[in-house]
Amino acid sequence: MDTEYIRPRLVLLTTPLGDADAVTAVQAALAGGDVASVILDPAGRDAVSFQNLAEKLVPIIQAAGAAAIVADDTQCAGRVQADGIHLTSGDPAELGEAMERFAPKLIVGASGFETRHDALEAGELRPDYLLFGRFGGDVDPNPHPKSIAMGEWWAEIVELPCIVLAGSDIESVVEAAATRAEFIALSAAVFAQPDAAGEMVARANALIDAWFESAAA
């Protein structure tokens, strides 16, 4: 086996979910197969509405053995006893402050670093991971070319784990996996049709398994 290949794990982003579908969709997704973590995206909600949603979802995520990560609301993360926080601003100063306040007690991850220079600057702060791709940016079937390029470059030269956001088609996990990123984020591919969330997670894991067996042979 080529030891440079790893089997990436799934990270789910809740961006497309409405409040009415969120609990059943997340439960189904987590029952569908291996999921490392779920990042809860405010997605335009006010602070109270987002906290109400997080209070429902965090226990479900944690009970399934996944990490519950709250995006862009550190107060909410504390109140709901989330496992981590995710910052989308692409601001190294904000990331540095979060590392000082919350690491290593909480997982701290970030996105929004769109150039190699900015990503390396963020990496020097030693967050737990960087994510390449924008929340809600998975509007095309395939992953965004920039996310793929950043993931390939990062995975080749940096030990810090990265997440690559796949496209809106579940089959796009294969292209994302080929970057050799440690994690693949799925959002619209799983949650755009909430009733199919479990089926989509199962399909994604099957695709990753097949890719990994072929790539590492």
Side-chain angles (χ1 to χ4, degrees):
M1 176 180 288
D2 182 345
T3 56
E4 291 185 1
Y5 284 89
I6 62 162
R7 186 206 181 278
R9 298 185 68 197
L10 294 181
V11 172
L12 304 182
L13 306 183
T14 64
T15 307
L17 286 175
D19 292 352
D21 299 319
V23 168
T24 55
V26 169
Q27 286 176 326
L30 292 166
D34 180 60
V35 173
S37 60
V38 180
I39 302 177
L40 306 180
D41 180 7
R45 294 176 178 86
D46 61 39
V48 173
S49 298
F50 182 51
Q51 183 170 321
N52 288 339
L53 179 65
E55 286 174 349
K56 297 174 184 177
L57 294 182
V58 166
I60 294 169
I61 296 163
Q62 292 172 336
I69 299 175
V70 168
D72 293 332
D73 191 332
T74 57
Q75 289 186 333
C76 175
R79 289 168 180 158
V80 302
Q81 298 184 327
D83 301 293
I85 57 173
H86 179 98
L87 304 176
T88 63
S89 65
D91 182 351
E94 183 183 9
L95 177 57
E97 180 182 348
M99 291 297 297
E100 291 180 3
R101 291 179 60 193
F102 301 110
K105 182 179 179 181
L106 297 181
I107 297 166
V108 179
S111 58
F113 300 98
E114 299 192 3
T115 69
R116 293 185 177 188
H117 175 271
D118 290 346
L120 288 173
E121 185 177 1
E124 290 177 356
L125 298 169
R126 306 305 299 172
D128 291 286
Y129 65 85
L130 290 186
L131 183 149
F132 297 116
R134 286 185 171 272
F135 288 20
D138 53 338
V139 294
D140 294 323
N142 296 323
H144 194 286
K146 189 170 187 177
S147 301
I148 293 294
M150 290 289 283
E152 287 176 340
W153 162 74
W154 185 268
E156 183 176 357
I157 68 167
V158 183
E159 292 185 2
L160 187 78
C162 74
I163 306 172
V164 171
L165 178 61
S168 61
D169 188 329
I170 204 70
E171 306 288 323
S172 69
V173 296
V174 175
E175 186 178 355
T179 65
R180 304 193 188 191
E182 290 84 356
F183 300 94
I184 300 168
L186 292 173
S187 188
V190 169
F191 291 132
Q193 295 182 309
D195 291 345
E199 178 185 347
M200 291 299 99
V201 168
R203 175 62 178 159
N205 275 296
L207 288 164
I208 292 170
D209 285 339
W211 169 83
F212 180 67
E213 290 174 8
S214 175

